[in-house]
Amino acid sequence: MGLFMFWKKKKKRPPQRPISQLWEKLRQSSDFVELSFIVGGKELSIYYFDSLVDPQVLQEQILCHLQNDIPKHPTVRLEDLQQIVPIQRIEVSEDTALIEEKVLKGFVAVSFREQPGKAALMSAAAENLGLRENNDSENEFSVVGPKVGFVENVGVNLHLIRRQVVTPNLVFREMSVGSVSKTKVVIAYIDGVANPEVVQTVTQRLEAIHFDVVFDNAILDQLLADNSRTPFPLFISTERIDRAVYAIVSGQVAIFCDGSPYAVIGPAALFDFFTSPEDYYLPWVLGTFFRLIRFFGVAFSVLASPIYVAVLTYHYEMIPEDLLGPIIYSRSNVPFPPVLEVLFLEITIELLREAGARLPTKVAQTLGIVGGIVIGQATVDAGLTSTILLIVVALAALASFTTPIFKMSNTIRFIRFPFILFAAGWGGIGIIFAVCGLLIHLGRLQSFGYPYLLPFYPLRVRNFRDTFIRSPYSETAERPMFLRPRSRFRYDPNEAKQKRDIDE
Amino acid sequence: MRRGLAWIGALLLLSGCASSRPIDEIQIIQQMGYDFENGRYTGTAVYPTFKQGPMTKPNMLTTTSPTIYDLIPRLSSKSALPIEEGQLRLILFGQEFARRGVTQITHSLARNNKVGSHLLLGVAEESARELLKITAKTTLSDTLYLPNVVEQNEQSMNLPKTNLHLFLYRYFSPGSDPFLPYFEKKGDFVKLEGVALFRDDKYVGHVSLRDSFLMKILLGETKNGVYQLKVGNRGKQGEDRVMLQNLWAKPKYEWKRDGSRHALDVFVHIHASVRDYPSWLDHPGDDLFDDVKKKMENELEHNMRRLFRYFQKKRIDPLGIGDFVRSVTRHWDPDAFYREYPDIDIRPHVTVDIVHTGIGE
């Protein structure tokens, strides 16, 4: 509360405030350090946060040079410190607010007695202190392809992007979001490829965000979303470099945020969430096949248990005669109607998954196996569920995990429940009703103003090359036109189609 | 928000209107038999119970009533669970019942949306109840013995395709009459005997399984069926027949005016393989099969003529000749056609192509 009030007050006050008052305030923290000493007849003071600066930089680059070189230049002013101290971009400022912000970000402020109210700001921030050095992209794993993922340090992430997008057109636009966290947020896009309107939208939305602490990009994701009441993720969030680079090159915009190992990519269409970078590393026939398997998995995951409920409750006529025996037999001891049976088992599986996600990795694996086998077997033996349903639910859960983007697989597991309830209420008609409702909802969604169901609604037949099927690279030179990129081709389409079997 | 709540409320209220029938809380009947005995109708339902395992012996419910419509409600009064006919696979009519007409049943089936049009119908030589009792007793694991017999014979043997859909089509069509599989009780077994023939909805007679092969190839393109033919009188008993297996056969009809009366030319082309034949036919060098082929064609033509005469005498048209004639006649008059029908000169012309001989595909 107090902290919050402080920021509010600051806004109302005129920016100029004696610098001594600032130091006074900062002195309340025990990690704030103030050094004053006289060297070469000059009285200088150094202010910094012990917890934010790198001691090695402070000693070797700043203190050492200040103490050794100032006596040689007796007339040195704050503005001339760049000549002495080997630190990049030394800034001299009288703006108390700026000094305060910089010091809070890990800068060292140096001031001379003879130039009161002014301070030279030198960056000595321990950028990587306490952060991971590398990330094996464990949550979006692929067998083939690079394993390096983004890390919490946004500088490293930008470095990783620029290493692969070697063009002067790659633009990083930095801004600060969060009234307390002052998180560094970077928009990355290729100038001349990304549609300026999208860049404009992203910038505007980021500027309009009022929030205190941005813990993760996922929060930005929600704050940027066009519709906050949908269970569907409207932007891709990825920790894979290849996916982010591919998006940037296709004309999408990536948003990085300090402290988050995820990049948020938009505008995204529904079908982007079911493509995996691995599709592009396998031959296109295999890539297409696995992509189709994934789509089937989604449909199966959403519809399998609702169909079980609908058929067993309302449409016994539909059951093939050979399945009649096994189904009735396995249901004969179950005391619940099919809905409760399904909900019971679905919730059990969700509990297992949730528990597995909260527990330490090693325990989680054991729990998953033991829980899955023991509980599954025991519920069937106890006559609480039927064996066939156990298979259906387990397969549906398995199928939902084929979705490469975690957010989407959560959504798929969630929308299964309304489907089950509709199936329980009206049988097959209920399922159709729910599917229609889902399609209407998807048709109304937008991602940065772009329809979510592109290229299916509105229909863009030419861009089907990279949706259900992953076409060979000779066919995918054109960028998806629904993103309205400024430049049409990723690479020369004619060169890509040429066969060089003679002049090898 | 209020609109959303109203929607959810309406949906919840509506869901009370749906009648749920969880699969383990209904009595699914798979086969049904209808008989007419001593002035009363008898209904027999065969239902499976799966309490002990996925496969069990079928059980039976029987009831009698003076009317047909009353049978299922009366069966219900003997059943612990509500009877549902949505999984019906076969309806068997006793011969006596079939003689009196089956419209009451088929008309109701035609409008019943629970029953698929793939439902099989059949006629039992005596009582449908007896027949179902035998199948329920003798078949332990296969609850659908009779439907499987019919399907198997339609797919690979001589029985022409029949089901509720085709029955209704032929029944309602002015140019054809329906037919159904015909079962007989042989001791403790049930045997498919041939095809039961109907005039409108009334049973009038049947043809043997052998003749049903002729019906099958005369009805349209077919790819299966076997026919045993006598080809000579040399050698011992059993040494004078060949087994003809149909590989592909197609009939072609031509409707002509021949003087004062009409004539129908029927061309049948059979691509066949001779699966079994006497050893004396197997002489390398001489082309004995040419002779055999002629004999086969003659015998097939002879039997077809006999079959057509039988149909004409009974004044039934299971082959749908009326439908064919209608398709080539302007202002076809069914009454006039069927007045003339017994006198039409039907001339079968059979061509047999022996594609290969011996066992082997």
Side-chain angles (χ1 to χ4, degrees), chain A residues 236 241-254 265-266 483:
Chain A
I236 295 174
I241 300 162
D242 43 10
R243 191 184 266 275
V245 168
Y246 184 77
I248 290 174
V249 165
S250 304
Q252 285 162 304
V253 174
I265 296 164
L483 292 171

Side-chain angles (χ1 to χ4, degrees), chain A residues 81-82 85-92 102 107-108 120-124 127 174 184:
Chain A
L81 277 180
Q82 186 80 69
V85 183
I87 292 263
Q88 56 171 354
R89 278 201 291 176
I90 295 176
E91 214 176 325
V92 178
K102 293 280 183 185
F107 279 60
V108 173
L121 298 161
M122 312 171 187
S123 168
E127 286 276 339
E174 188 181 323
K184 181 172 160 189

Side-chain angles (χ1 to χ4, degrees), chain A residues 190 192-200 251 253 450 483-486:
Chain A
I190 297 184
V193 173
N195 191 323
E197 277 178 33
V198 180
V199 179
Q200 169 78 5
V253 174
Y450 283 68
L483 292 171
R484 303 197 180 283
R486 294 285 98 169

